[in-house]
Amino acid sequence: ALAVCGCLRIHGSRAAALRWAPTGIISAMLLWAGMQAVKLTSLSTLTVVRNANALCLLIAEWICFGVQPSLGKVLSLMVILAGVCIYTWQDLKDAPSSLLGLFFIVLDSVLVCIDSMLERYLLAVRPIRLSAAACVLVNNLVAFACVALLLAGPLYREWSEARLPRSGVLWSAATLPGGVAMAFVGIYLRRVVSATGAVVVANVDKVLVLLYGVAFMGDRMDGTKGL
């Protein structure tokens, strides 16, 4: 991300960077909560539950930003919520998750909603004077610092699990272009569509994530979950 940002125009005020900095803290918390949720539950469950965030954001934008939802939007998101409830109930029935795992799933969802609302506010409702490249740079630097503090403090035991085989390094490096692209697309997307719309667009990839979880991570899929 730093290399790409160096090739793009980075401009903005220090005050704007400070206003944007909390998004990096939330990003680090999202990373931590999501990893804990995957460890204690399943990737498929976390992915499906995130679909319910769109309905929460629709209500939040109505209350905070005055964006009145249409009946069609409400009904479509209610259908998604029904699907989330069916899938989660079936998943818990097949393999009961720990209460701690469920807590991290809820925490992850709350953080996603807070992050989406904050970014939408700073990028569209009360836009800051900060270029997209600068937004990506500030977000990544702040998130990196937060993750470093977590690893140096309460999560210092994670170092004992760290392994850096050559294949792992190569796969990690291969994810960098995708991560940079996602960061920039996320910035541009939240500038032109609502927080709810951005989350709904992001939900399109959930089918691929579910299939990946079934194929490579041992997640179970039956007729009820498929529905």
mmCIF file of all heavy atoms in Angstrom, residues 153-174:
data_model
loop_
_atom_site.group_PDB
_atom_site.id
_atom_site.type_symbol
_atom_site.label_atom_id
_atom_site.label_comp_id
_atom_site.label_asym_id
_atom_site.label_seq_id
_atom_site.Cartn_x
_atom_site.Cartn_y
_atom_site.Cartn_z
ATOM 1 N N GLY A 153 1.659 -6.279 23.612
ATOM 2 C CA GLY A 153 0.998 -6.307 24.909
ATOM 3 C C GLY A 153 0.147 -7.526 25.132
ATOM 4 O O GLY A 153 0.678 -8.634 25.323
ATOM 5 N N PRO A 154 -1.187 -7.385 25.071
ATOM 6 C CA PRO A 154 -2.069 -8.501 25.445
ATOM 7 C C PRO A 154 -1.978 -9.717 24.536
ATOM 8 O O PRO A 154 -2.338 -10.823 24.949
ATOM 9 C CB PRO A 154 -3.473 -7.871 25.368
ATOM 10 C CG PRO A 154 -3.319 -6.693 24.477
ATOM 11 C CD PRO A 154 -1.936 -6.180 24.705
ATOM 12 N N LEU A 155 -1.507 -9.551 23.310
ATOM 13 C CA LEU A 155 -1.441 -10.686 22.376
ATOM 14 C C LEU A 155 -0.003 -11.128 22.117
ATOM 15 O O LEU A 155 0.291 -11.707 21.072
ATOM 16 C CB LEU A 155 -2.110 -10.305 21.045
ATOM 17 C CG LEU A 155 -3.578 -9.898 21.114
ATOM 18 C CD1 LEU A 155 -4.104 -9.566 19.724
ATOM 19 C CD2 LEU A 155 -4.419 -11.012 21.741
ATOM 20 N N TYR A 156 0.883 -10.894 23.084
ATOM 21 C CA TYR A 156 2.289 -11.250 22.858
ATOM 22 C C TYR A 156 2.495 -12.745 22.657
ATOM 23 O O TYR A 156 3.456 -13.183 22.011
ATOM 24 C CB TYR A 156 3.144 -10.759 24.026
ATOM 25 C CG TYR A 156 2.963 -11.540 25.306
ATOM 26 C CD1 TYR A 156 3.818 -12.590 25.614
ATOM 27 C CD2 TYR A 156 1.937 -11.222 26.199
ATOM 28 C CE1 TYR A 156 3.647 -13.317 26.795
ATOM 29 C CE2 TYR A 156 1.760 -11.936 27.369
ATOM 30 C CZ TYR A 156 2.624 -12.972 27.665
ATOM 31 O OH TYR A 156 2.455 -13.697 28.822
ATOM 32 N N ARG A 157 1.575 -13.563 23.157
ATOM 33 C CA ARG A 157 1.704 -15.011 22.983
ATOM 34 C C ARG A 157 1.492 -15.446 21.539
ATOM 35 O O ARG A 157 1.853 -16.566 21.176
ATOM 36 C CB ARG A 157 0.703 -15.731 23.890
ATOM 37 C CG ARG A 157 1.006 -15.565 25.386
ATOM 38 C CD ARG A 157 0.033 -16.357 26.234
ATOM 39 N NE ARG A 157 0.320 -16.219 27.653
ATOM 40 C CZ ARG A 157 -0.402 -16.789 28.621
ATOM 41 N NH1 ARG A 157 -1.461 -17.521 28.299
ATOM 42 N NH2 ARG A 157 -0.076 -16.605 29.896
ATOM 43 N N GLU A 158 0.896 -14.579 20.731
ATOM 44 C CA GLU A 158 0.691 -14.906 19.324
ATOM 45 C C GLU A 158 2.023 -15.112 18.602
ATOM 46 O O GLU A 158 2.083 -15.811 17.590
ATOM 47 C CB GLU A 158 -0.100 -13.792 18.629
ATOM 48 C CG GLU A 158 -1.499 -13.574 19.175
ATOM 49 C CD GLU A 158 -2.461 -14.643 18.725
ATOM 50 O OE1 GLU A 158 -2.151 -15.349 17.746
ATOM 51 O OE2 GLU A 158 -3.537 -14.775 19.345
ATOM 52 N N TRP A 159 3.097 -14.506 19.118
ATOM 53 C CA TRP A 159 4.396 -14.664 18.473
ATOM 54 C C TRP A 159 4.853 -16.118 18.470
ATOM 55 O O TRP A 159 5.558 -16.555 17.555
ATOM 56 C CB TRP A 159 5.455 -13.805 19.181
ATOM 57 C CG TRP A 159 5.318 -12.337 18.921
ATOM 58 C CD1 TRP A 159 4.894 -11.376 19.787
ATOM 59 C CD2 TRP A 159 5.601 -11.651 17.694
ATOM 60 N NE1 TRP A 159 4.891 -10.141 19.203
ATOM 61 C CE2 TRP A 159 5.323 -10.279 17.921
ATOM 62 C CE3 TRP A 159 6.066 -12.058 16.443
ATOM 63 C CZ2 TRP A 159 5.499 -9.319 16.917
ATOM 64 C CZ3 TRP A 159 6.241 -11.097 15.446
ATOM 65 C CH2 TRP A 159 5.955 -9.750 15.691
ATOM 66 N N SER A 160 4.448 -16.862 19.506
ATOM 67 C CA SER A 160 4.859 -18.264 19.569
ATOM 68 C C SER A 160 4.217 -19.099 18.470
ATOM 69 O O SER A 160 4.708 -20.178 18.123
ATOM 70 C CB SER A 160 4.495 -18.861 20.939
ATOM 71 O OG SER A 160 3.082 -18.823 21.151
ATOM 72 N N GLU A 161 3.091 -18.613 17.893
ATOM 73 C CA GLU A 161 2.412 -19.324 16.819
ATOM 74 C C GLU A 161 2.871 -18.870 15.441
ATOM 75 O O GLU A 161 2.437 -19.421 14.427
ATOM 76 C CB GLU A 161 0.895 -19.118 16.932
ATOM 77 C CG GLU A 161 0.313 -19.579 18.264
ATOM 78 C CD GLU A 161 -1.169 -19.279 18.357
ATOM 79 O OE1 GLU A 161 -1.751 -18.839 17.332
ATOM 80 O OE2 GLU A 161 -1.750 -19.486 19.438
ATOM 81 N N ALA A 162 3.734 -17.852 15.415
ATOM 82 C CA ALA A 162 4.159 -17.296 14.126
ATOM 83 C C ALA A 162 5.088 -18.267 13.402
ATOM 84 O O ALA A 162 6.068 -18.759 13.974
ATOM 85 C CB ALA A 162 4.862 -15.955 14.341
ATOM 86 N N ARG A 163 4.783 -18.549 12.161
ATOM 87 C CA ARG A 163 5.616 -19.374 11.296
ATOM 88 C C ARG A 163 5.718 -18.684 9.947
ATOM 89 O O ARG A 163 4.726 -18.222 9.413
ATOM 90 C CB ARG A 163 5.015 -20.777 11.124
ATOM 91 C CG ARG A 163 4.841 -21.550 12.423
ATOM 92 C CD ARG A 163 6.194 -21.966 13.015
ATOM 93 N NE ARG A 163 6.027 -22.819 14.179
ATOM 94 C CZ ARG A 163 5.876 -22.378 15.417
ATOM 95 N NH1 ARG A 163 5.854 -21.066 15.639
ATOM 96 N NH2 ARG A 163 5.724 -23.210 16.430
ATOM 97 N N LEU A 164 6.919 -18.624 9.404
ATOM 98 C CA LEU A 164 7.122 -17.936 8.138
ATOM 99 C C LEU A 164 7.786 -18.852 7.110
ATOM 100 O O LEU A 164 8.914 -18.621 6.681
ATOM 101 C CB LEU A 164 7.980 -16.677 8.354
ATOM 102 C CG LEU A 164 7.327 -15.511 9.113
ATOM 103 C CD1 LEU A 164 8.326 -14.396 9.329
ATOM 104 C CD2 LEU A 164 6.105 -14.995 8.348
ATOM 105 N N PRO A 165 7.089 -19.899 6.694
ATOM 106 C CA PRO A 165 7.627 -20.725 5.610
ATOM 107 C C PRO A 165 7.630 -19.932 4.307
ATOM 108 O O PRO A 165 6.896 -18.946 4.167
ATOM 109 C CB PRO A 165 6.654 -21.904 5.541
ATOM 110 C CG PRO A 165 5.388 -21.362 6.091
ATOM 111 C CD PRO A 165 5.778 -20.372 7.151
ATOM 112 N N ARG A 166 8.435 -20.359 3.371
ATOM 113 C CA ARG A 166 8.546 -19.629 2.110
ATOM 114 C C ARG A 166 7.206 -19.527 1.401
ATOM 115 O O ARG A 166 6.857 -18.468 0.864
ATOM 116 C CB ARG A 166 9.560 -20.322 1.206
ATOM 117 C CG ARG A 166 9.769 -19.606 -0.139
ATOM 118 C CD ARG A 166 10.855 -20.272 -0.956
ATOM 119 N NE ARG A 166 12.130 -20.216 -0.261
ATOM 120 C CZ ARG A 166 13.256 -20.751 -0.754
ATOM 121 N NH1 ARG A 166 13.236 -21.393 -1.920
ATOM 122 N NH2 ARG A 166 14.381 -20.655 -0.077
ATOM 123 N N SER A 167 6.441 -20.618 1.409
ATOM 124 C CA SER A 167 5.146 -20.593 0.739
ATOM 125 C C SER A 167 4.204 -19.582 1.402
ATOM 126 O O SER A 167 3.441 -18.883 0.727
ATOM 127 C CB SER A 167 4.503 -21.986 0.758
ATOM 128 O OG SER A 167 4.310 -22.432 2.097
ATOM 129 N N GLY A 168 4.269 -19.504 2.740
ATOM 130 C CA GLY A 168 3.433 -18.545 3.449
ATOM 131 C C GLY A 168 3.785 -17.112 3.102
ATOM 132 O O GLY A 168 2.901 -16.264 2.941
ATOM 133 N N VAL A 169 5.077 -16.829 2.994
ATOM 134 C CA VAL A 169 5.520 -15.483 2.623
ATOM 135 C C VAL A 169 5.049 -15.132 1.219
ATOM 136 O O VAL A 169 4.581 -14.012 0.951
ATOM 137 C CB VAL A 169 7.053 -15.386 2.715
ATOM 138 C CG1 VAL A 169 7.532 -14.034 2.173
ATOM 139 C CG2 VAL A 169 7.516 -15.561 4.152
ATOM 140 N N LEU A 170 5.140 -16.095 0.306
ATOM 141 C CA LEU A 170 4.728 -15.853 -1.079
ATOM 142 C C LEU A 170 3.223 -15.603 -1.172
ATOM 143 O O LEU A 170 2.776 -14.697 -1.876
ATOM 144 C CB LEU A 170 5.116 -17.044 -1.956
ATOM 145 C CG LEU A 170 6.623 -17.240 -2.165
ATOM 146 C CD1 LEU A 170 6.898 -18.506 -2.976
ATOM 147 C CD2 LEU A 170 7.237 -16.020 -2.863
ATOM 148 N N TRP A 171 2.438 -16.409 -0.444
ATOM 149 C CA TRP A 171 0.990 -16.211 -0.466
ATOM 150 C C TRP A 171 0.614 -14.872 0.165
ATOM 151 O O TRP A 171 -0.311 -14.189 -0.298
ATOM 152 C CB TRP A 171 0.289 -17.353 0.264
ATOM 153 C CG TRP A 171 0.118 -18.588 -0.565
ATOM 154 C CD1 TRP A 171 0.730 -19.792 -0.402
ATOM 155 C CD2 TRP A 171 -0.724 -18.746 -1.712
ATOM 156 N NE1 TRP A 171 0.333 -20.690 -1.355
ATOM 157 C CE2 TRP A 171 -0.563 -20.075 -2.176
ATOM 158 C CE3 TRP A 171 -1.593 -17.901 -2.388
ATOM 159 C CZ2 TRP A 171 -1.239 -20.567 -3.283
ATOM 160 C CZ3 TRP A 171 -2.274 -18.384 -3.493
ATOM 161 C CH2 TRP A 171 -2.100 -19.696 -3.934
ATOM 162 N N SER A 172 1.310 -14.509 1.238
ATOM 163 C CA SER A 172 1.041 -13.211 1.876
ATOM 164 C C SER A 172 1.346 -12.059 0.926
ATOM 165 O O SER A 172 0.582 -11.092 0.835
ATOM 166 C CB SER A 172 1.872 -13.076 3.153
ATOM 167 O OG SER A 172 1.520 -14.068 4.093
ATOM 168 N N ALA A 173 2.470 -12.182 0.218
ATOM 169 C CA ALA A 173 2.834 -11.140 -0.743
ATOM 170 C C ALA A 173 1.815 -11.060 -1.879
ATOM 171 O O ALA A 173 1.518 -9.971 -2.382
ATOM 172 C CB ALA A 173 4.228 -11.408 -1.302
ATOM 173 N N ALA A 174 1.265 -12.210 -2.257
ATOM 174 C CA ALA A 174 0.299 -12.224 -3.352
ATOM 175 C C ALA A 174 -0.997 -11.506 -2.988
ATOM 176 O O ALA A 174 -1.732 -11.048 -3.871
ATOM 177 C CB ALA A 174 -0.005 -13.668 -3.757
#
